[in-house]
Amino acid sequence: MDEPTLSTEELFLVLYCTIDELYQEAAPDRVRKRPGASRLEMSDAEIITLSVMQEGRSNDSELSFHRVVEKDYQHLFPGLISRSRYHRRRKDLMGIQREILRPSVDRLRTSAAWIIIDSMPITIADANQGLR
């Protein structure tokens, strides 16, 4: 079965748009309008997008993920900050990330034909033995 798939770049873009919209709804004014927020090199939505992508690539360390973004996706994140600053901001935004993760997964799920969570086949019924 040949299903259309998103490239990593397209996934970054779809995820960013979804997270940015949900961030505007979920983040309290004290966070969104904090002093200096307009002068940040990377928006909170960009940080959360990178964080979610990093977690999706669970075998990557933060350092190696940051290097991949810097090398291959800098054009999507032209204001990419240093790994240490990214780490601090990511940690500070973890609460908001948790708040918007469920709605973002729900929105992505409705736009996808299906999502593979685990591809391990499990026998749930056997013609000779009935349900397990």
Side-chain angles (χ1 to χ4, degrees):
M1 176 193 279
D2 289 329
E3 291 287 328
T5 58
L6 294 176
S7 68
T8 302
E9 185 169 322
E10 291 168 325
L11 185 56
F12 267 124
L13 294 171
V14 168
L15 192 58
Y16 171 77
C17 291
T18 303
I19 286 174
D20 187 52
E21 185 177 320
L22 291 169
Y23 174 82
Q24 300 306 320
E25 297 170 14
D29 285 345
R30 65 179 167 73
V31 173
R32 284 186 298 112
K33 298 176 181 178
R34 67 190 180 273
S38 62
R39 294 187 312 271
L40 293 172
E41 295 172 49
M42 287 188 79
S43 70
D44 290 345
E46 288 175 305
I47 298 290
I48 294 169
T49 298
L50 290 176
S51 179
V52 169
M53 285 292 285
Q54 178 185 334
E55 289 177 17
R57 297 170 52 129
S58 59
N59 60 340
D60 286 354
S61 70
E62 188 174 275
L63 178 60
S64 67
F65 178 75
H66 190 275
R67 285 180 180 158
V68 167
V69 172
E70 190 172 43
K71 178 179 171 269
D72 299 331
Y73 303 103
Q74 181 84 37
H75 61 285
L76 297 176
F77 302 95
L80 184 66
I81 55 181
S82 70
R83 198 229 24 103
S84 61
R85 288 182 61 205
Y86 163 73
H87 175 77
R88 281 193 306 274
R89 295 242 344 252
R90 178 179 184 228
K91 199 167 93 173
D92 291 344
L93 292 167
M94 225 15 109
I96 293 171
Q97 179 177 325
R98 279 192 297 270
E99 289 293 318
I100 66 175
L101 197 54
R102 177 164 308 194
S104 66
V105 168
D106 291 343
R107 287 186 189 190
L108 290 172
R109 184 178 300 130
T110 60
S111 66
W114 46 271
I115 298 175
I116 295 176
I117 302 297
D118 186 354
S119 60
M120 173 96 175
I122 300 173
T123 304
I124 58 169
D126 186 314
N128 299 325
Q129 298 178 354
L131 289 176
R132 291 187 177 200

